[in-house]
Amino acid sequence: MASRHGGSGAGRAADPKSADVSLPTAPRGPGGSRPDLGGRDVSAPPSRDPTTYAQTDHFRQRLCQQGRYVTLPTVGEAIRRGQLRWNTSDGWRFALVEDGVRYVIVVGDTETPSPVLVTGWTEIADWDAVVDSDRWSELDAHTIRLRADLSSHKERQIPGRIRPRVVSRAFEIGGHRVATAAGEGFVECADCGGRFRSKRALRERHCQ
C-alpha cells in the first residue's frame, strides 16, 4: 500500500519534501480502547470531516500535475458537501459539481490507521456551464475533457474524440507531456515528439 502523509483536506498542500508529517490517530472506542483498524464495515459511509484524511503518495503526486485541477480546498468541499457513492472498482467516492466541472475524490479507511485520500480527478459535467464560467477557460475545458476521454477509453485508439480538442498547454499523462491541435487525431508529447491515439500507447512507450 502506498505510504500516507497527514494533511487537512481543506488547507494548502503539504510540502512534499517534509518527512516528519504525523498521521491523524485513530479514534478510541467506548472505554478508551482502539478499534480494529482493518475491521470497519466497508458498507458504512466514510467520514465527512476532511481534516481527518491523510494523503497517499499517489494523491500527492496528482496535486502537482498540470491539467488535473484537483486542489486541497476543492477536495475538502467534495468531502463535506459532495454526493457519496460506492463504486465496485475503487470503493467510496465523493463527487462535487461546481461551474460545470465534477470533482471526484476516492477515499479509503478500512485498512489504514486513518482515513486516506487515494486519488482524485476532474470531468466535465456540463460543457456549456464550464465555457460560460469565469472560473474556467476554454483551454481548461478541452484539457479536462481530453484527459477524461483518454482515461475512460484507455485501451482503445480514440482519434475521433481527440480531433475536436484544442490543448496548447501540455499536461502530463502516461509519463508524457502532451498537447494537441484542432483536427489532429493524436496527442503529441512536447518532450519526445511521440504521437499517440490512446492512453495505452502513451504508457507503452517511454518518454526519451
Side-chain angles (χ1 to χ4, degrees):
M1 176 174 290
S3 63
R4 300 174 301 280
H5 303 265
S8 167
R12 65 179 179 82
D15 181 357
K17 296 181 181 179
S18 298
D20 59 350
V21 179
S22 60
L23 290 173
T25 56
R28 292 184 180 275
S33 62
R34 290 203 181 278
D36 179 359
L37 297 178
R40 195 189 74 85
D41 184 355
V42 73
S43 65
S47 171
R48 284 279 186 176
D49 180 359
T51 66
T52 64
Y53 285 84
Q55 302 166 22
T56 60
D57 289 339
H58 178 72
F59 179 83
R60 289 163 66 88
Q61 290 167 3
R62 291 202 160 195
L63 285 177
C64 301
Q65 289 183 350
Q66 178 71 44
R68 287 203 179 274
Y69 305 98
V70 176
T71 66
L72 288 179
T74 55
V75 168
E77 287 304 301
I79 291 172
R80 280 189 290 265
R81 302 191 291 111
Q83 288 186 332
L84 179 60
R85 292 184 178 179
W86 171 260
N87 182 276
T88 55
S89 63
D90 52 26
W92 285 107
R93 295 179 174 184
F94 293 98
L96 177 69
V97 177
E98 290 193 335
D99 295 314
V101 170
R102 179 180 295 108
Y103 299 89
V104 182
I105 308 301
V106 178
V107 301
D109 67 346
T110 58
E111 299 176 353
T112 57
S114 62
V116 292
L117 301 171
V118 177
T119 190
W121 64 86
T122 49
E123 54 193 38
I124 301 294
D126 184 331
W127 179 269
D128 291 337
V130 174
V131 173
D132 292 341
S133 171
D134 293 334
R135 182 173 183 176
W136 305 105
S137 67
E138 192 167 350
L139 172 59
D140 294 329
H142 281 286
T143 300
I144 293 170
R145 177 61 59 81
L146 178 57
R147 181 188 285 280
D149 282 342
L150 286 166
S151 295
S152 297
H153 307 278
K154 61 185 68 175
E155 299 298 322
R156 295 169 40 202
Q157 294 189 3
I158 55 169
R161 292 179 178 270
I162 297 173
R163 285 193 184 97
R165 304 295 143 228
V166 181
V167 179
S168 56
R169 183 178 61 214
F171 64 92
E172 183 179 342
I173 185 169
H176 297 265
R177 292 191 314 114
V178 302
T180 189
E184 294 181 343
F186 55 84
V187 295
E188 182 170 359
C189 179
D191 298 320
C192 70
R195 295 180 174 183
F196 310 93
R197 291 176 172 82
S198 69
K199 189 171 183 178
R200 178 177 180 178
L202 282 160
R203 287 177 167 176
E204 287 179 343
R205 176 174 165 180
H206 294 295
C207 185
Q208 298 178 347

